[in-house]
Amino acid sequence: MYRTLVGLVVAFAVALALVGLTFSSSAEGRADYVFVNGTEPKTLDPQKMTGQPEGRVADAIFEGLTFRDNETLRPVPGSAVSWETSPDGLRWAFKLRPEAVWSNGERVTAADFVYAWKRLLAPATASEYAYLLHFVRHAEAFNTFGAQAEALGGPEGAVARLRARVADAGAGAGLTAVRWQAFVKEVGLSDLLTGTADPVLLAAFARTGGAFTAAEAVALADAVEAEQVRREHEHAAAVAHLGVDEGIFAPDPSTFVVELRTYTPYFLELTAFYPTFPVHRRTVEANPDDWFQPGRIVTNGPFLLHRWTVNERIRLRKNPRYWDAPAVSLETVDALPIENTTVAMNLYLTGSVDWSPAGYPQDLIDVVKRRPDFYGQPGMMVYYYRINCTRKPFDDARVRTALGLAIDRKVLVEQVMRGGQVPAVTMVAPGIPAYRSPQGTLGFDVPRARALLREAGFPDGKGFPKVSLLYNTSDAHKKVAEWIADQLRRNLGVDARAVNQEWQSYQESVRRLDYDLARAGWIGDYRDPNTFLDMWTTGGGNNQTGWGDPAYDRLIRLATEPLAVVEMAAAERDAFLATMKERPEAERLLAAVGAAPDPKARLAAVDALRLHLFREAEAILIQDGIPVLPLYFYVVTGLVHPRVGGFHATVRDVDGSMIPNLQDLHPFRDVRMRGPAGAPR
Amino acid sequence: MSAAVPPRPTAAAPPVGPPGRSLLADAMRRLRRNRLAVVGGVVLVLLLLASFLLPAVLGLDHEITRPEFHNQGPSAAHPFGTDNLGRDYVARVLVGGQTSLLVGLVGAIVVIVIGSVYGAVSGYFGGWVDEIMMRVVDFLYGIPYMFLVVLIMLQFGDEDRGSNKPIFVALAAVQWLTMARIVRGQVLTLREREYVLAARVTGASHARILFRHVIPNCMGPIVVYGTLTVPAVILLESFLSYLGLGKSLSWGVLVAEGVQGINPVKMDWWLLAFPSGALALTLLSLNFLGDGLRDALDPRTRR
Amino acid sequence: MSARRGSIPVAAVGGVLVAFLVWLAARPFLGATGGAVAGLVGGAAGARWLPHRVLVRVIWTVPLFFLLIFTAVQLMFHVPGDPFASEKNTSAEVRAEQKKHYGIPEKGFVGGCKFFAVYIEKAIGEGYLGPSIKVQGRSVVDLLMPALPVSLALGLLALTIACFLGLLLGVVAGLRPSTWVDYVAMAFAVIGISLPSFVIGSLLILGLSLTLGWLPVAGWGTFAHLLLPAVALALPYAAYVARLARGGTIEVMSEDYIRTARAKGLSEPGVVLKHALRGAIVPVVSFLGPAAAGILTGSFVVETLFGIPGMGRWFVNGAINRDYYVVLGTVLIECGLVVAFNLLVDFGLAWIDPRLRGKT
């Protein structure tokens, strides 16, 4: 018996010794500024990261050509001390700051930016944000045309196979549209030919019935081959010139030149966004997989990566070599990878954490929002439900509209969410300068919803199949889903149920179109309607509803190249304008472009036209097509300790008015602590 | 540790009761005399009736949302309060009980039967039979449970989504393992008892020895751990809910959601208290019933 | 402990496998040749001196590991989801590139076999257990190794608390069945079982951290951080142990030999210590075997609630993120612990009941 007791005591001692071992790494004191960062960052490689937790750290340890000013959130000189633009807005030349250095003392040169931006676009990097720079000359060709041309050409390529099909079909009934669509799906032809403007191809993609004549079929094959050849040539040109003397290049070590293919008003904003941050070439090439680990990583921002303990914390230290080091007040910053909102709130309430973005359980919103240390601002994010347009009866637009009209968004926002969210009947979140969404038609109108449902063949919901509202496991999503299910039951007589799946299964169900309605959310990456609208093009990777409309696709495409409208032949332009919902306005803007007195005014007029094209597209999306049910626009909320200075929930707009800090960006370089840490009063 | 080996135990009487009475009838009689066990049984039956009948009888709706009345404490209109969507909590707890009680009790019975038989066979035969059987248990233990559950989920189509069938399969798949271990351990210590040897000498088959001598003498741990399986199964079901396999409404789920109501900012104690209370009440009655069952079935305490 | 020198084949095969295991374990520290030497020495010593029971266990366990890894791989390759999914849907080329980079073949049985083959080859050939896909730039070993002592420390403390508390309550209740002592102890046990650990943890945090401010609310770094999570982890197990111990005590105390001991004049405490405890422990030990493995691999729920960088989070997050290599790493660790504890349990049972010694 005594041996047992001795044994137990020994076990206890061993336990305590082990405990002592694990403590050694946590022996440092509390950092100046501690905040809750959500999920553990997957990587700190700027060209490979996506997500806010990664972004917050990247913004601190790296610096792009520009960074965001704390009080206005507009891009101000960072690694670049000044820049010049050509009158047509297509050529940008950045002068780099001579005193900007890497953490190992070497100068930050233009070559570093060329290397990083090229790396972002290189197919081998497999970067998820490569598409962000596709408006740069040669960029899209460099990024995607190589693989596409390869898949299209050659003896096994799509072109050869199509010609074979055409030849086979020519002997018989001709190439039917059905066979053609099957071929498109089999080969993934629309992915291989993204962005094509060839009218023959566009018409063919939209064709679902009938058959092509022999001549048409051959013309079709010719068009595909022409695309293949074009892509091959453009890819070769891009490989030869990108990074060398066109598109993105450095004529000398302190000048970085970017040539745009089309005028992009939000380009400068992107130079403060992490995919465009420079990286130290030798470091990356020496250890391509883990160059960003502490001890190896070389950075150029106001902070250094001091320590990274997975599941515990990331500690940053002030970078003494940073060109603006005297302006940085914090010495150390800790980012805690905590996802559980209750834990985050507990840490905040005890003063262990200074900033907890969205870090409190959603159900406590009523009490939390009354606190003085709470902030809530509209965010650039939309909460919505996808509708599976390939599944009956959701393929009927009347059914989709009926569903949208049966949900009382006001109650959702005021009684269920209660956080100051804004009801949404459009898909582009507010906050985009100068953009006005079209009128949404999905208000709360139960009689009309019922009428539509009856028209579609389901009077009082009779005969309507069971509807599953799919959401990924989360208390907040569950609440919304169950409430919506109840709304549909009550208002339409439809048997709706909320169903959850864990994240991976949910993603795959949505991707494979194995759902009825599925919850979704989208955050804007930059302040332009494109970020919210280009995903709904036919077959787009983020569409995942099976909906497509050639008119919509065309508008989106033209919105990214508005000058194409200006340069259209008169007949074509008239036909195009005839399709617009707000034709007079479109004509006025078009005229304004032509009448612009100087290049600057012309750019502004093109911009206005561009925004109008987006507006027309959004109108199709939310008035006619309705493949999605917008519900509300998020608010960005959180708790921040009163001692934190330099933290702005609202920022100054160009005209001096205060606008919300839509993306909840609070760069650490400007944060100052006023007073000691401790529980907030 | 004293070196004394316990004195050789006298053989327990073989389980033949007073003339004319079968084991089961005798057990029932003794059970009825145990007052606490009877109370436990009655409470359990009442809980079952309340969960399955009361909502229909009283016309309670557990799904209808009235968000304007969210998070209200107990009142005359809502004796258990309301939840975060303004749904009546009495209805939620009762309907949740349907799932939990069904899953818990049926699941526990399945687990007990499979686990005890498996463990008894393994412990009884010993040697390489025991070795193989226990390695199978280790193997099943080591499989990452979440993948198994998702795989099970996939086998059942959309029609079964929301039914109990996949839940039972997923729960039964792993819960019996610990029961098997415990019974095996017990059987190992029982194997060398005189009455077992005696029975073998008189030519009784292995099956007979197992079912009439060994397992009845294991009733203690079987019943005790069996009653412990019920809460484990109920709580495991809430983990399944997280994956999307379980029901969206059960005591486990209500407890998991209710725990958020316990925080220094706002105390919605009823969200946690009532489902936990129901769970605890169920277990308490199961405990007393289980203890009574064990006493009733234990051959050594028979007179 | 009697060590039955069993048949030669068992010793031979067992010895070879012991050598293999020792080589695997020693190689990271001693290098290739050092590891080989250690393996030979270990194998020979094991064949000569290890008890028969242990050798048999080793012979069964090594194929078990292989089978387990294979099954885990197949499970992962037949279930929806992959580690590269994100809210922004990526193009097919990007995903194909990512999959190639990490060596993930196509889904399905064949893909699983390919993956398994490469995994085993790397694991045994180089001792490399793969990279994490979700946490880039770190290998599985880099991630799990620091987490293991954290969970072990927490788990050992919790286990100790659970044993002491549970045995104390259970034996005391069992010695005085159907008295108020019994009822109170069992009520506590019922509460401990019916309240899951996150509820107990939340209540403890609310009371001791937020209201009274005695202990930190979350995190890891001092002994103060250790206390609440250990208690939260321990209480449900303590309740189980109490119930099982009580049951075992009641049974033992009704045995004839207890009456004999009492009749012989043995003092009551003596009776308890010598006999009752031994009887009470049997079901507890059988239960604790796998339970201990569970406690030591860290409870996901407790670790999330208290922000502890332990193993439990890797078990669940690895599966949720479909981080294939991490999942396999956790499977290895869990299986190793389960096997080790089963051995301990078997030895424990034999020690408690000497009639079991020398037999299996």
Side-chain angles (χ1 to χ4, degrees), chain A residues 42 502 507-508 541-542 544, chain C residues 81 86 89 101 136 138 322:
Chain A
K42 294 196 278 277
E502 49 93 25
Q507 288 268 76
E508 196 150 313
N542 283 305
Q544 295 168 331
Chain C
S86 62
N89 210 3
H101 183 83
Q136 293 179 16
R138 307 255 186 164
R322 308 293 197 272

Side-chain angles (χ1 to χ4, degrees), chain B residues 43-60:
Chain B
V43 169
L44 208 53
V45 168
L46 283 178
L47 279 169
L48 279 165
L49 287 175
S51 297
F52 283 92
L53 295 181
L54 223 46
V57 162
L58 293 179
L60 299 171

Side-chain angles (χ1 to χ4, degrees), chain A residues 15 490 494 552 657 679:
Chain A
R490 260 202 284 203
V494 159
Y552 183 86
S657 64

Side-chain angles (χ1 to χ4, degrees), chain B residues 1 10 36 127 131 135 138-139 141 143 151 181 184 188 220 228 231 242 262 279 283 287 291 300, chain C residues 57 60 64 68 71 75 183 190 193-194 206 240 243 246 251 255-256 278 290 320 342 346 356 360:
Chain B
M1 172 77 189
T10 60
L36 266 174
E131 195 71 37
R135 295 299 77 83
D138 285 346
F139 172 74
Y141 230 93
I143 291 185
L151 199 63
R181 290 209 154 275
R184 172 220 182 228
L188 278 180
L228 293 177
Y242 170 90
I262 307 296
L279 207 49
L283 296 176
N287 263 338
D291 282 350
R300 283 166 301 177
Chain C
R57 189 59 59 88
W60 283 112
L64 173 70
L68 196 52
T71 313
L75 268 178
Y183 294 148
V190 164
I193 296 168
S194 58
L206 183 69
Y240 271 83
R243 283 289 301 163
R246 173 185 177 274
E251 286 203 7
E255 293 255 349
D256 296 337
R278 188 191 286 141
I320 289 183
N342 286 341
D346 285 349
L356 292 176
T360 308

Side-chain angles (χ1 to χ4, degrees), chain A residues 345-383:
Chain A
M345 188 181 72
N346 289 345
L347 284 172
Y348 177 78
L349 291 174
T350 53
S352 309
V353 145
D354 300 304
W355 176 37
S356 181
Y360 57 89
Q362 209 274 331
D363 272 345
L364 301 180
I365 180 74
D366 299 310
V367 180
V368 170
K369 74 182 176 192
R370 288 194 295 234
R371 293 174 63 102
D373 48 9
F374 172 82
Y375 68 91
Q377 294 297 327
M380 212 164 58
M381 324 173 208
V382 58
Y383 192 105

Side-chain angles (χ1 to χ4, degrees), chain B residues 230-250:
Chain B
V230 174
V233 164
I234 290 180
L235 292 174
L236 190 60
E237 191 267 333
S238 73
F239 169 67
L240 293 181
S241 250
Y242 170 90
L243 296 179
L245 181 61
K247 291 285 194 54
S248 62
L249 179 61
S250 71

Side-chain angles (χ1 to χ4, degrees), chain B residues 5-28:
Chain B
V5 170
R8 302 181 114 239
T10 60
V16 173
R21 275 223 184 98
S22 77
L23 174 65
L24 230 45
D26 189 51
M28 284 289 103

